[in-house]
């Protein structure tokens, strides 16, 4: 499957149950897709038992930022194994809060979605999260998309 190119997104949520003010959580994903236009549905595949899987099990609303080629460093940061806390990962990144989800949304993203989970489907060692799109915007028309192919981030020519 490493030969199947995929777009790169940042899935994010605000976990209100983590600490007195909650914590923002983010995860780089390439297993993200549109499922339906009517109603508007998307799907993301999460490793079972991962921090994001646990958060989205409790927190029904979350966001997706479609990364541009200039956001490769962000994709790498949120994909690291054994990484530092999510709070520190968001510290020096430009973002704003989604009005409907309260989740962090990246500035400079090609597109942003706010979603609400409709269904969670166990699938092997992953959970498929199907969500209704509550809002969709294309705040940035600059640059091309970030892609992932053969284990590396790539740019479309």
């Amino acid at each position: 499957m490493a030969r199947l190119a995929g777009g790169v997104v940042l899935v994010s949520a605000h976990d209100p149950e983590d600490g007195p003010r909650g914590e923002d959580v983010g995860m780089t994903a390439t297993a993200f897709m549109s499922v339906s236009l009517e109603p508007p549905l998307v799907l993301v595949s999460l490793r079972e038992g991962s921090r994001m899987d646990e958060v989205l099990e409790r927190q029904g609303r979350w966001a997706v930022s479609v990364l541009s080629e200039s956001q490769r460093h962000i994709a790498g940061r949120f994909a690291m194994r054994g990484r530092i806390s999510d709070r520190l990962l968001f510290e020096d990144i430009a973002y704003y809060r989604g009005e409907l989800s309260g989740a962090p949304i990246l500035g400079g993203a090609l597109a942003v979605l706010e979603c609400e989970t409709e269904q969670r489907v166990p699938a092997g060692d992953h959970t498929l999260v199907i969500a209704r799109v509550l809002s969709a915007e294309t705040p940035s028309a600059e640059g091309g998309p970030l892609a992932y192919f053969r284990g590396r981030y790539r740019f479309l020519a």
Side-chain angles (χ1 to χ4, degrees):
M1 295 308 297
R3 293 185 183 240
L4 176 64
V8 183
V9 302
L10 180 73
V11 177
S12 58
H14 181 74
D15 184 3
E17 296 182 21
D18 191 346
R21 292 183 306 202
E23 183 174 30
D24 293 326
V25 179
M27 180 197 88
T28 301
T30 56
F32 177 80
M33 63 181 280
S34 171
V35 173
S36 168
L37 290 176
E38 193 56 48
L41 298 174
V42 293
L43 176 148
V44 65
S45 179
L46 307 173
R47 186 175 38 82
E48 186 179 86
S50 67
R51 173 88 164 104
M52 187 59 72
D53 184 35
E54 292 171 2
V55 170
L56 294 191
E57 191 169 22
R58 295 189 314 270
Q59 175 62 359
R61 290 192 173 189
W62 42 281
V64 174
S65 300
V66 178
L67 301 184
S68 72
E69 57 194 11
S70 67
Q71 294 176 312
R72 178 181 184 164
H73 65 289
I74 294 172
R77 176 186 286 198
F78 283 91
M80 289 188 304
R81 294 190 190 280
R83 62 191 195 192
I84 58 176
S85 78
D86 286 276
R87 182 173 288 117
L88 295 175
L89 292 176
F90 280 103
E91 200 168 74
D92 62 346
I93 294 176
Y95 70 90
Y96 60 95
R97 295 228 173 261
E99 287 182 30
L100 302 173
S101 65
I105 295 174
L106 296 181
L110 293 178
V112 296
L113 307 171
E114 288 190 89
C115 305
E116 184 168 39
T117 299
E118 291 214 342
Q119 189 176 4
R120 293 173 53 86
V121 180
D125 60 357
H126 278 65
T127 303
L128 305 178
V129 180
I130 301 169
R132 181 177 297 264
V133 177
L134 302 175
S135 71
E137 296 179 13
T138 53
S140 177
E142 298 300 314
L146 184 61
Y148 193 73
F149 178 70
R150 295 181 80 179
R152 295 180 48 208
Y153 295 112
R154 311 282 180 137
F155 310 119
L156 296 182

